[in-house]
Amino acid sequence: MSPFTYVLTLPSSLFVRKVDPRKDAHSHLLTKNEESNLYKIQFHNVKPECLDAYNQLCEETLPSIHNDKYYPCELVGTWNTWYGEQDQAVHMWRYRGGYPALTEVMSKLRQNKEFMKYREERGKMLLSRRNQLLLEFSFWNEPIPRKGPNIYELRSYQLRPGTMIEWGNYWARAIGYRQHNSEAVGGFFSQIGNLYMVHHLWAYKDLEAREATRNAAWQHEGWDEVVYYTVPLIQHMDSRIMIPMKASPLQ
C-alpha cells in the first residue's frame, strides 16, 4: 500500500495527509520506502575546445565503474546538453542502499588509481561543476536502460519552500497523462544541493515527437488543472535537451 493517499481538497491547500512536522519528513512521504535509492546528478561545464576529449575520457572510465559489482552504484545516464547550457555534460548515478552505498563508493574510488587519474585529467577540462543528491518520487518510474536513438529533456523546477508535498500530490495524478508514449523516465527531488528542486526526465524520439506528445497532454481532462495549480508553486524553471553519450544506459 502507498505510504500516503492522494486526496484532492481545496486547490490552495492540498496535502497528501496531515503531516506532524515533529515526526514526518516530507521526503519520507514522497519516496517509495525508507530505503529508497539515492541518486546523484552532476553538471559539468566543459571548456569548449575540450568537449570531445572530455567525452572520450568519460566513455573510457565511467562504464568500468558501472559494470564493476565492487561498487554499489549504477550509471543511470550520461549526456551532452544540446539545447540549454552549451558545452555541458550531465551524469546521473544511482546508489542502491542510499547514503551508506554512496559513502562506500566514494571511499573505494579514492583507492582507485585509474579513477583518481581520470579525475585529475577531467579537472583540466572543466570550467565549473556542481552536483545534487536526489530521491525519486514514489509515483514515477524508476529509470531503466532504453534503446535509442532518443533525445532527453531534463526539466528542472525550483519550488517555493514548503510546497513539495503539494507538488507531489498534483503530479501523482498528472503522471498518468504523460505515460502514453513511454516518455516518462524518472522524477526526482533534491536532498542536498539546491533545495526544493525537482527534476523530471523525459525521453522522445526527436523534437517533433516532443512537441506532439506535450500537445497531446492537453487533450486529457484534468491536465489543464494540474498546470494551473502547479505553476504558482514554481520560483524558477529550466529545460535542457540532451543527447546521450555512447556509454549511457539511456540511449
Side-chain angles (χ1 to χ4, degrees), residues 123-209:
K124 301 173 184 177
M125 304 178 186
L126 298 183
L127 294 170
S128 64
R129 60 192 178 100
R130 63 184 177 90
N131 60 25
Q132 290 178 310
L133 294 181
L134 313 170
L135 295 177
E136 57 189 337
F137 285 109
S138 62
F139 44 84
W140 271 78
N141 312 328
E142 179 177 307
I144 59 175
R146 290 188 180 217
K147 295 181 179 180
N150 294 294
I151 63 171
Y152 288 82
E153 182 176 18
L154 182 66
R155 295 178 70 87
S156 302
Y157 305 89
Q158 180 68 59
L159 303 187
R160 291 190 293 107
T163 62
M164 188 66 73
I165 293 291
E166 192 169 355
W167 177 275
N169 204 354
Y170 277 117
W171 266 96
R173 292 191 303 132
I175 193 63
Y177 306 136
R178 297 296 310 276
Q179 298 277 19
H180 299 284
N181 295 318
S182 300
E183 67 268 26
V185 178
F188 315 90
F189 60 97
S190 61
Q191 287 291 283
I192 296 178
N194 290 349
L195 298 179
Y196 290 99
M197 177 72 75
V198 169
H199 298 288
H200 291 175
L201 183 61
W202 308 93
Y204 306 100
K205 291 301 180 184
D206 50 38
L207 289 174
E208 290 80 8

Coordinates of all heavy atoms in Angstrom, one line a residue, residues 123-209:
G123 N 39.7 17.4 -14.5 CA 39.8 18.7 -13.9 C 40.4 19.7 -14.8 O 40.1 20.9 -14.7
K124 N 41.3 19.3 -15.7 CA 41.9 20.2 -16.6 C 41.0 20.7 -17.7 O 41.3 21.7 -18.4 CB 43.2 19.5 -17.3 CG 44.2 19.0 -16.3 CD 45.3 18.2 -17.0 CE 46.3 17.7 -16.0 NZ 47.3 16.8 -16.6
M125 N 39.9 20.0 -17.9 CA 39.0 20.2 -19.0 C 37.7 21.0 -18.6 O 37.0 21.5 -19.4 CB 38.5 18.9 -19.6 CG 39.6 18.0 -20.1 SD 39.0 16.5 -20.8 CE 40.5 15.6 -21.1
L126 N 37.5 21.2 -17.3 CA 36.3 21.8 -16.8 C 36.4 23.3 -16.4 O 37.5 23.7 -16.0 CB 35.8 21.1 -15.5 CG 35.5 19.6 -15.7 CD1 35.0 19.0 -14.4 CD2 34.5 19.4 -16.8
L127 N 35.4 24.0 -16.7 CA 35.2 25.4 -16.2 C 34.6 25.5 -14.8 O 35.0 26.3 -14.0 CB 34.4 26.2 -17.2 CG 35.0 26.4 -18.6 CD1 33.9 27.0 -19.5 CD2 36.2 27.3 -18.5
S128 N 33.6 24.6 -14.6 CA 32.9 24.5 -13.3 C 32.2 23.2 -13.2 O 32.0 22.5 -14.2 CB 32.0 25.7 -13.1 OG 30.9 25.6 -14.1
R129 N 31.8 22.9 -12.0 CA 31.0 21.7 -11.8 C 30.1 21.8 -10.6 O 30.5 22.5 -9.7 CB 31.8 20.4 -11.8 CG 32.8 20.4 -10.7 CD 33.8 19.2 -10.9 NE 34.8 19.2 -9.8 CZ 34.8 18.4 -8.8 NH1 33.8 17.5 -8.6 NH2 35.7 18.4 -7.9
R130 N 29.0 21.1 -10.5 CA 28.2 21.1 -9.4 C 27.4 19.8 -9.3 O 27.3 19.2 -10.4 CB 27.2 22.3 -9.3 CG 26.2 22.4 -10.4 CD 25.4 23.7 -10.4 NE 24.5 23.8 -11.5 CZ 23.2 23.3 -11.5 NH1 22.7 22.7 -10.5 NH2 22.5 23.5 -12.6
N131 N 26.8 19.5 -8.2 CA 26.1 18.2 -8.1 C 24.9 18.4 -7.1 O 24.9 19.4 -6.3 CB 26.9 17.0 -7.8 CG 27.7 17.2 -6.5 OD1 27.2 17.9 -5.6 ND2 28.8 16.4 -6.3
Q132 N 24.0 17.4 -7.1 CA 22.9 17.4 -6.2 C 22.7 15.9 -5.8 O 22.9 15.0 -6.6 CB 21.6 17.9 -6.7 CG 21.6 19.4 -7.0 CD 20.3 19.8 -7.6 OE1 19.8 19.3 -8.6 NE2 19.6 20.8 -7.0
L133 N 22.3 15.7 -4.6 CA 21.8 14.3 -4.2 C 20.3 14.4 -4.2 O 19.6 15.3 -3.7 CB 22.3 14.0 -2.8 CG 23.8 13.8 -2.7 CD1 24.2 13.4 -1.3 CD2 24.3 12.7 -3.7
L134 N 19.7 13.3 -4.8 CA 18.2 13.3 -5.1 C 17.6 12.0 -4.6 O 18.3 11.0 -4.5 CB 18.0 13.4 -6.6 CG 18.8 14.4 -7.4 CD1 18.5 14.2 -8.9 CD2 18.3 15.8 -7.0
L135 N 16.3 12.1 -4.3 CA 15.5 11.0 -4.1 C 14.4 10.9 -5.2 O 14.2 11.9 -5.8 CB 14.8 11.0 -2.7 CG 15.7 10.9 -1.5 CD1 14.8 11.1 -0.2 CD2 16.5 9.6 -1.4
E136 N 13.9 9.7 -5.4 CA 12.9 9.6 -6.5 C 11.5 9.6 -6.0 O 11.2 9.1 -4.9 CB 13.1 8.3 -7.3 CG 13.1 7.0 -6.4 CD 13.5 5.8 -7.2 OE1 13.4 5.8 -8.4 OE2 13.9 4.8 -6.6
F137 N 10.6 10.3 -6.7 CA 9.2 10.3 -6.3 C 8.6 8.9 -6.4 O 8.9 8.1 -7.3 CB 8.4 11.2 -7.2 CG 8.6 12.7 -6.9 CD1 9.3 13.5 -7.8 CD2 8.1 13.3 -5.8 CE1 9.5 14.8 -7.6 CE2 8.2 14.6 -5.6 CZ 8.9 15.4 -6.5
S138 N 7.7 8.6 -5.5 CA 7.1 7.2 -5.4 C 6.3 6.9 -6.6 O 6.1 5.7 -7.0 CB 6.3 7.0 -4.1 OG 5.2 8.0 -4.1
F139 N 5.7 7.9 -7.2 CA 4.7 7.7 -8.3 C 5.3 7.7 -9.7 O 4.7 7.6 -10.7 CB 3.6 8.7 -8.2 CG 4.0 10.1 -8.0 CD1 4.4 10.9 -9.0 CD2 4.1 10.6 -6.7 CE1 4.9 12.2 -8.7 CE2 4.5 11.9 -6.4 CZ 4.9 12.7 -7.5
W140 N 6.7 8.0 -9.8 CA 7.4 8.0 -11.1 C 8.0 6.6 -11.3 O 8.1 5.8 -10.4 CB 8.5 9.0 -11.1 CG 8.0 10.4 -11.5 CD1 7.4 11.3 -10.8 CD2 8.3 11.0 -12.8 NE1 7.2 12.5 -11.6 CE2 7.7 12.3 -12.8 CE3 8.9 10.6 -14.0 CZ2 7.8 13.1 -13.9 CZ3 9.0 11.4 -15.1 CH2 8.4 12.7 -15.0
N141 N 8.3 6.4 -12.6 CA 9.0 5.2 -13.0 C 10.4 5.2 -12.4 O 11.0 6.3 -12.2 CB 9.2 5.1 -14.5 CG 7.9 5.3 -15.2 OD1 6.8 5.0 -14.7 ND2 7.9 5.9 -16.4
E142 N 11.0 4.1 -12.1 CA 12.4 4.0 -11.9 C 13.2 4.0 -13.2 O 12.8 3.1 -14.1 CB 12.8 2.8 -11.0 CG 14.3 2.7 -10.7 CD 14.6 1.5 -9.9 OE1 14.0 1.4 -8.8 OE2 15.5 0.7 -10.2
P143 N 14.1 4.8 -13.4 CA 14.8 4.8 -14.7 C 15.5 3.4 -15.0 O 16.2 2.9 -14.2 CB 15.9 5.9 -14.6 CG 15.4 6.8 -13.5 CD 14.7 5.8 -12.5
I144 N 15.2 2.9 -16.2 CA 15.9 1.7 -16.6 C 16.5 1.9 -18.0 O 16.0 2.8 -18.7 CB 14.8 0.5 -16.7 CG1 13.7 0.8 -17.6 CG2 14.3 0.2 -15.3 CD1 12.7 -0.3 -17.8
P145 N 17.5 1.1 -18.4 CA 18.1 1.3 -19.7 C 17.1 1.3 -20.9 O 16.1 0.6 -20.8 CB 19.1 0.2 -19.8 CG 19.4 -0.2 -18.4 CD 18.1 0.1 -17.6
R146 N 17.4 2.2 -21.8 CA 16.5 2.3 -23.0 C 17.3 2.2 -24.3 O 18.4 2.7 -24.3 CB 15.7 3.6 -23.1 CG 14.7 3.8 -22.0 CD 13.9 5.1 -22.3 NE 12.9 5.2 -21.2 CZ 11.7 5.7 -21.5 NH1 11.3 6.1 -22.7 NH2 10.8 5.9 -20.5
K147 N 16.8 1.5 -25.3 CA 17.4 1.6 -26.6 C 17.1 2.9 -27.3 O 16.1 3.5 -27.1 CB 16.9 0.4 -27.4 CG 17.3 -1.0 -26.9 CD 16.8 -2.1 -27.8 CE 17.2 -3.5 -27.3 NZ 16.7 -4.6 -28.1
G148 N 18.0 3.3 -28.1 CA 17.8 4.6 -28.8 C 17.5 4.4 -30.3 O 17.2 3.3 -30.7
P149 N 17.6 5.4 -31.1 CA 18.1 6.8 -30.6 C 16.9 7.6 -30.0 O 15.8 7.5 -30.4 CB 18.6 7.4 -31.8 CG 17.8 6.9 -32.9 CD 17.5 5.4 -32.5
N150 N 17.2 8.3 -28.9 CA 16.3 9.2 -28.3 C 17.0 10.5 -27.9 O 18.2 10.6 -27.8 CB 15.7 8.6 -26.9 CG 14.9 7.4 -27.1 OD1 13.8 7.4 -27.7 ND2 15.4 6.3 -26.6
I151 N 16.2 11.5 -27.8 CA 16.7 12.7 -27.1 C 16.0 12.8 -25.7 O 15.0 12.1 -25.5 CB 16.4 14.0 -27.9 CG1 14.8 14.2 -28.0 CG2 17.0 14.0 -29.3 CD1 14.4 15.6 -28.6
Y152 N 16.7 13.5 -24.8 CA 16.2 13.5 -23.4 C 16.0 15.0 -23.0 O 16.8 15.8 -23.4 CB 17.1 12.8 -22.5 CG 17.1 11.3 -22.6 CD1 17.8 10.7 -23.6 CD2 16.3 10.5 -21.8 CE1 17.8 9.3 -23.8 CE2 16.2 9.1 -22.0 CZ 17.0 8.6 -23.0 OH 16.9 7.2 -23.2
E153 N 14.9 15.2 -22.3 CA 14.6 16.5 -21.8 C 14.7 16.4 -20.2 O 14.0 15.6 -19.6 CB 13.3 17.1 -22.2 CG 13.1 18.5 -21.7 CD 11.8 19.1 -22.1 OE1 10.9 18.4 -22.6 OE2 11.6 20.4 -22.1
L154 N 15.5 17.3 -19.7 CA 15.6 17.4 -18.2 C 14.9 18.7 -17.9 O 15.5 19.8 -18.2 CB 17.0 17.4 -17.7 CG 17.2 17.5 -16.2 CD1 16.6 16.2 -15.5 CD2 18.7 17.6 -15.8
R155 N 13.8 18.7 -17.2 CA 13.1 19.9 -16.8 C 13.3 20.0 -15.3 O 12.9 19.1 -14.5 CB 11.6 19.8 -17.2 CG 11.3 19.7 -18.7 CD 9.9 19.6 -19.0 NE 9.1 20.8 -18.7 CZ 8.9 21.8 -19.6 NH1 9.5 21.8 -20.7 NH2 8.2 22.8 -19.2
S156 N 13.8 21.2 -14.9 CA 14.2 21.4 -13.5 C 13.3 22.5 -13.0 O 13.2 23.6 -13.6 CB 15.7 21.7 -13.4 OG 16.4 20.7 -13.9
Y157 N 12.8 22.3 -11.8 CA 11.9 23.3 -11.2 C 12.4 23.7 -9.8 O 12.6 22.8 -9.0 CB 10.5 22.7 -11.1 CG 9.9 22.2 -12.4 CD1 10.1 20.9 -12.8 CD2 9.1 23.0 -13.1 CE1 9.5 20.4 -13.9 CE2 8.5 22.6 -14.3 CZ 8.7 21.3 -14.7 OH 8.2 20.8 -15.9
Q158 N 12.6 25.0 -9.6 CA 12.9 25.4 -8.2 C 11.5 25.8 -7.6 O 10.9 26.8 -8.0 CB 13.8 26.7 -8.3 CG 14.2 27.2 -6.9 CD 15.0 26.3 -6.1 OE1 16.1 25.9 -6.5 NE2 14.6 25.9 -5.0
L159 N 11.1 25.1 -6.6 CA 9.8 25.3 -6.0 C 9.9 26.3 -4.8 O 11.0 26.5 -4.2 CB 9.2 24.0 -5.4 CG 9.0 22.9 -6.4 CD1 8.3 21.7 -5.8 CD2 8.3 23.4 -7.7
R160 N 8.8 26.9 -4.5 CA 8.8 27.7 -3.3 C 8.9 26.8 -2.1 O 8.3 25.8 -2.0 CB 7.4 28.5 -3.2 CG 7.3 29.6 -4.3 CD 6.1 30.5 -4.0 NE 4.9 29.8 -4.2 CZ 4.0 29.4 -3.2 NH1 4.4 29.6 -2.0 NH2 2.9 28.8 -3.5
P161 N 9.7 27.2 -1.1 CA 9.8 26.4 0.1 C 8.4 26.1 0.8 O 7.6 26.9 0.8 CB 10.7 27.3 1.1 CG 11.5 28.1 0.2 CD 10.6 28.4 -1.0
G162 N 8.3 24.8 1.1 CA 7.0 24.4 1.8 C 6.0 23.8 0.8 O 4.9 23.5 1.3
T163 N 6.3 23.8 -0.5 CA 5.3 23.4 -1.5 C 5.5 22.0 -2.1 O 4.8 21.6 -3.0 CB 5.2 24.4 -2.6 OG1 6.5 24.4 -3.3 CG2 4.9 25.8 -2.1
M164 N 6.6 21.2 -1.6 CA 6.9 20.0 -2.2 C 5.8 18.9 -2.1 O 5.5 18.2 -3.1 CB 8.2 19.4 -1.6 CG 8.7 18.2 -2.3 SD 9.3 18.5 -4.0 CE 10.8 19.5 -3.6
I165 N 5.1 18.9 -1.0 CA 4.0 17.9 -0.8 C 2.9 18.3 -1.8 O 2.3 17.4 -2.4 CB 3.5 17.9 0.6 CG1 4.6 17.4 1.6 CG2 2.2 17.1 0.8 CD1 4.8 15.9 1.4
E166 N 2.6 19.5 -1.9 CA 1.5 19.9 -2.8 C 1.9 19.6 -4.3 O 1.0 19.1 -5.0 CB 1.3 21.4 -2.7 CG 0.0 21.9 -3.4 CD -0.3 23.4 -3.0 OE1 0.4 23.9 -2.1 OE2 -1.3 23.9 -3.6
W167 N 3.1 19.8 -4.6 CA 3.6 19.5 -6.0 C 3.5 18.0 -6.2 O 2.9 17.5 -7.2 CB 5.1 19.9 -6.1 CG 5.7 19.5 -7.4 CD1 6.3 18.3 -7.7 CD2 5.8 20.3 -8.6 NE1 6.8 18.3 -9.0 CE2 6.5 19.5 -9.5 CE3 5.5 21.6 -8.9 CZ2 6.8 20.0 -10.8 CZ3 5.7 22.1 -10.1 CH2 6.4 21.3 -11.1
G168 N 3.9 17.2 -5.2 CA 3.8 15.7 -5.3 C 2.4 15.2 -5.5 O 2.1 14.3 -6.2
N169 N 1.5 15.8 -4.8 CA 0.1 15.4 -4.8 C -0.5 15.6 -6.2 O -1.2 14.8 -6.8 CB -0.7 16.1 -3.8 CG -2.0 15.3 -3.4 OD1 -2.3 14.3 -4.0 ND2 -2.7 15.8 -2.4
Y170 N -0.2 16.8 -6.8 CA -0.7 17.1 -8.1 C -0.1 16.1 -9.2 O -0.8 15.6 -10.1 CB -0.5 18.5 -8.5 CG -1.6 19.5 -8.0 CD1 -1.2 20.5 -7.1 CD2 -2.9 19.4 -8.4 CE1 -2.2 21.3 -6.6 CE2 -3.9 20.2 -7.9 CZ -3.5 21.2 -7.0 OH -4.5 22.1 -6.6
W171 N 1.2 16.0 -9.1 CA 1.9 15.2 -10.1 C 1.6 13.7 -10.0 O 1.8 12.9 -10.9 CB 3.4 15.5 -10.1 CG 3.7 16.5 -11.1 CD1 3.9 17.9 -10.9 CD2 3.9 16.4 -12.5 NE1 4.1 18.5 -12.0 CE2 4.1 17.6 -13.1 CE3 3.9 15.2 -13.3 CZ2 4.4 17.8 -14.4 CZ3 4.1 15.4 -14.7 CH2 4.4 16.7 -15.2
A172 N 1.2 13.2 -8.8 CA 0.8 11.9 -8.6 C -0.4 11.5 -9.6 O -0.5 10.4 -10.1 CB 0.4 11.6 -7.2
R173 N -1.2 12.5 -9.8 CA -2.3 12.4 -10.8 C -1.8 12.7 -12.2 O -2.1 12.0 -13.2 CB -3.4 13.3 -10.5 CG -4.2 12.9 -9.2 CD -5.5 13.7 -9.1 NE -5.2 15.2 -9.2 CZ -5.9 16.0 -9.9 NH1 -6.9 15.6 -10.7 NH2 -5.7 17.3 -9.9
A174 N -0.9 13.7 -12.3 CA -0.5 14.2 -13.7 C 0.3 13.2 -14.4 O 0.2 13.1 -15.7 CB 0.2 15.5 -13.5
I175 N 1.1 12.4 -13.7 CA 2.0 11.5 -14.4 C 1.2 10.5 -15.3 O 1.7 10.0 -16.3 CB 2.9 10.7 -13.4 CG1 4.0 10.0 -14.1 CG2 2.1 9.8 -12.6 CD1 5.0 10.9 -14.9
G176 N 0.0 10.2 -14.9 CA -0.9 9.3 -15.7 C -1.2 9.9 -17.1 O -1.5 9.1 -18.0
Y177 N -1.2 11.2 -17.2 CA -1.4 11.8 -18.5 C -0.2 11.8 -19.4 O -0.3 12.1 -20.6 CB -1.9 13.3 -18.3 CG -3.0 13.5 -17.4 CD1 -3.0 14.5 -16.4 CD2 -4.2 12.7 -17.5 CE1 -4.1 14.7 -15.6 CE2 -5.2 12.9 -16.6 CZ -5.2 13.9 -15.7 OH -6.2 14.1 -14.8
R178 N 1.0 11.4 -18.8 CA 2.2 11.5 -19.6 C 2.9 10.2 -19.7 O 4.1 10.1 -19.8 CB 3.1 12.5 -18.9 CG 2.6 14.0 -18.8 CD 2.5 14.6 -20.2 NE 3.6 14.4 -21.0 CZ 4.7 15.3 -20.9 NH1 4.7 16.3 -20.1 NH2 5.7 15.1 -21.7
Q179 N 2.2 9.1 -19.8 CA 2.7 7.8 -19.9 C 2.4 7.1 -21.3 O 2.9 6.0 -21.5 CB 2.2 6.9 -18.8 CG 2.6 7.3 -17.4 CD 4.0 6.9 -17.0 OE1 4.8 6.5 -17.8 NE2 4.3 6.9 -15.7
H180 N 1.6 7.8 -22.1 CA 1.1 7.1 -23.3 C 2.1 6.8 -24.3 O 2.0 5.8 -25.1 CB 0.0 8.0 -23.9 CG -1.2 8.2 -22.9 ND1 -2.1 7.3 -22.6 CD2 -1.5 9.3 -22.2 CE1 -3.0 7.8 -21.8 NE2 -2.6 9.0 -21.5
N181 N 3.2 7.5 -24.4 CA 4.3 7.2 -25.4 C 5.5 6.8 -24.6 O 6.6 6.9 -25.2 CB 4.6 8.5 -26.2 CG 3.4 8.8 -27.1 OD1 2.8 8.0 -27.7 ND2 3.1 10.1 -27.2
S182 N 5.4 6.3 -23.4 CA 6.5 5.9 -22.6 C 7.6 7.0 -22.5 O 8.8 6.7 -22.4 CB 7.1 4.6 -23.2 OG 6.2 3.6 -23.2
E183 N 7.1 8.2 -22.4 CA 8.1 9.3 -22.4 C 8.6 9.6 -21.0 O 9.7 10.2 -20.8 CB 7.5 10.6 -23.0 CG 6.3 11.2 -22.2 CD 5.0 10.7 -22.6 OE1 4.9 9.6 -23.1 OE2 4.0 11.5 -22.4
A184 N 7.9 9.2 -19.9 CA 8.4 9.5 -18.6 C 9.5 8.5 -18.2 O 9.4 7.3 -18.2 CB 7.2 9.3 -17.6
V185 N 10.7 9.1 -17.9 CA 11.8 8.3 -17.5 C 12.0 8.3 -16.0 O 12.2 7.2 -15.4 CB 13.1 8.9 -18.2 CG1 14.3 8.1 -17.7 CG2 13.0 8.9 -19.7
G186 N 12.0 9.5 -15.3 CA 12.2 9.5 -13.9 C 11.8 10.9 -13.3 O 11.9 11.9 -14.0
G187 N 11.4 10.9 -12.0 CA 11.1 12.1 -11.3 C 11.8 12.1 -10.0 O 11.8 11.2 -9.3
F188 N 12.5 13.3 -9.7 CA 13.4 13.3 -8.5 C 13.2 14.7 -7.8 O 12.8 15.7 -8.4 CB 14.8 13.2 -8.9 CG 15.1 12.1 -9.9 CD1 15.0 12.3 -11.3 CD2 15.3 10.8 -9.5 CE1 15.2 11.3 -12.2 CE2 15.5 9.8 -10.4 CZ 15.5 10.0 -11.8
F189 N 13.6 14.7 -6.5 CA 13.6 15.9 -5.8 C 14.9 15.9 -4.9 O 15.4 14.9 -4.5 CB 12.4 16.1 -4.9 CG 12.1 15.0 -3.9 CD1 12.5 15.2 -2.5 CD2 11.5 13.8 -4.2 CE1 12.3 14.2 -1.6 CE2 11.2 12.9 -3.3 CZ 11.6 13.1 -1.9
S190 N 15.4 17.1 -4.7 CA 16.7 17.3 -4.1 C 16.7 17.1 -2.6 O 15.7 17.4 -1.9 CB 17.3 18.7 -4.4 OG 16.5 19.7 -3.9
Q191 N 17.8 16.5 -2.1 CA 18.1 16.4 -0.7 C 19.3 17.2 -0.2 O 19.3 17.7 0.9 CB 18.3 14.9 -0.3 CG 17.1 14.1 -0.4 CD 16.1 14.4 0.8 OE1 16.3 14.0 1.9 NE2 15.1 15.1 0.5
I192 N 20.3 17.3 -1.1 CA 21.5 18.1 -0.8 C 21.8 18.8 -2.1 O 21.8 18.3 -3.2 CB 22.6 17.2 -0.3 CG1 22.3 16.5 1.0 CG2 23.9 18.0 -0.2 CD1 23.4 15.6 1.5
G193 N 22.2 20.1 -2.0 CA 22.5 20.9 -3.1 C 21.4 22.0 -3.1 O 21.0 22.4 -2.0
N194 N 20.9 22.5 -4.2 CA 19.8 23.4 -4.3 C 18.6 22.7 -3.7 O 18.1 21.7 -4.3 CB 19.6 23.9 -5.7 CG 20.6 24.8 -6.2 OD1 21.5 25.2 -5.4 ND2 20.6 25.1 -7.5
L195 N 18.0 23.2 -2.7 CA 16.9 22.5 -2.0 C 15.5 22.9 -2.7 O 15.5 24.0 -3.4 CB 16.8 22.8 -0.5 CG 18.1 22.3 0.2 CD1 17.9 22.7 1.7 CD2 18.2 20.8 0.1
Y196 N 14.5 22.2 -2.5 CA 13.2 22.4 -3.1 C 13.3 22.4 -4.6 O 12.6 23.1 -5.3 CB 12.5 23.6 -2.6 CG 12.0 23.5 -1.2 CD1 12.8 24.0 -0.1 CD2 10.9 22.8 -0.8 CE1 12.4 23.9 1.2 CE2 10.5 22.6 0.5 CZ 11.3 23.2 1.5 OH 10.9 23.0 2.8
M197 N 14.2 21.6 -5.1 CA 14.4 21.4 -6.6 C 13.9 20.1 -7.0 O 14.1 19.1 -6.4 CB 15.9 21.5 -6.9 CG 16.3 21.3 -8.4 SD 15.8 22.8 -9.4 CE 17.1 23.9 -8.9
V198 N 13.1 20.1 -8.1 CA 12.5 19.0 -8.7 C 13.1 18.8 -10.1 O 13.3 19.8 -10.9 CB 11.0 19.1 -8.8 CG1 10.4 18.0 -9.7 CG2 10.4 19.0 -7.4
H199 N 13.4 17.6 -10.5 CA 13.9 17.2 -11.9 C 12.9 16.2 -12.4 O 12.7 15.1 -11.8 CB 15.3 16.7 -11.9 CG 16.3 17.6 -11.3 ND1 16.8 18.8 -12.0 CD2 17.0 17.6 -10.2 CE1 17.7 19.4 -11.3 NE2 17.9 18.7 -10.2
H200 N 12.4 16.5 -13.6 CA 11.6 15.5 -14.4 C 12.4 15.1 -15.7 O 12.9 16.1 -16.4 CB 10.3 16.0 -14.8 CG 9.3 16.2 -13.7 ND1 8.1 16.8 -13.8 CD2 9.4 15.9 -12.4 CE1 7.5 16.9 -12.6 NE2 8.3 16.3 -11.7
L201 N 12.6 13.9 -15.9 CA 13.4 13.4 -17.1 C 12.5 12.7 -18.0 O 11.8 11.8 -17.7 CB 14.5 12.5 -16.6 CG 15.5 11.9 -17.7 CD1 16.3 13.1 -18.3 CD2 16.5 11.0 -17.0
W202 N 12.5 13.2 -19.3 CA 11.6 12.6 -20.3 C 12.5 12.2 -21.5 O 13.5 12.7 -21.8 CB 10.7 13.7 -20.8 CG 9.9 14.4 -19.7 CD1 10.3 15.6 -19.1 CD2 8.7 14.0 -19.2 NE1 9.3 15.9 -18.1 CE2 8.3 15.0 -18.2 CE3 7.8 12.9 -19.4 CZ2 7.2 14.9 -17.4 CZ3 6.7 12.8 -18.6 CH2 6.3 13.8 -17.7
A203 N 11.9 11.2 -22.3 CA 12.6 10.7 -23.5 C 11.6 10.9 -24.7 O 10.5 10.6 -24.6 CB 13.0 9.2 -23.3
Y204 N 12.2 11.3 -25.8 CA 11.4 11.4 -27.0 C 12.3 11.0 -28.2 O 13.5 11.0 -28.1 CB 11.0 12.9 -27.3 CG 10.3 13.6 -26.1 CD1 10.9 14.4 -25.2 CD2 8.9 13.3 -26.0 CE1 10.3 15.0 -24.2 CE2 8.2 13.9 -24.9 CZ 8.9 14.8 -24.0 OH 8.2 15.4 -23.0
K205 N 11.6 10.6 -29.3 CA 12.4 10.2 -30.5 C 13.1 11.4 -31.1 O 14.2 11.3 -31.6 CB 11.4 9.6 -31.5 CG 10.9 8.2 -31.1 CD 12.1 7.2 -30.8 CE 11.6 5.8 -30.4 NZ 12.7 4.9 -30.1
D206 N 12.4 12.6 -31.1 CA 13.0 13.8 -31.7 C 12.2 15.0 -31.2 O 11.3 14.8 -30.4 CB 13.1 13.7 -33.2 CG 11.7 13.3 -33.8 OD1 10.7 13.8 -33.3 OD2 11.7 12.6 -34.8
L207 N 12.6 16.1 -31.6 CA 11.9 17.4 -31.1 C 10.5 17.4 -31.6 O 9.6 17.9 -30.9 CB 12.7 18.6 -31.6 CG 14.1 18.8 -30.9 CD1 14.8 20.0 -31.6 CD2 13.9 19.1 -29.4
E208 N 10.2 16.9 -32.8 CA 8.8 16.9 -33.3 C 8.0 16.0 -32.4 O 6.8 16.3 -32.1 CB 8.8 16.4 -34.7 CG 9.4 17.4 -35.7 CD 10.9 17.4 -35.8 OE1 11.5 16.5 -35.2 OE2 11.5 18.2 -36.5
A209 N 8.5 14.8 -32.0 CA 7.8 13.9 -31.1 C 7.5 14.6 -29.8 O 6.5 14.4 -29.2 CB 8.5 12.6 -31.0

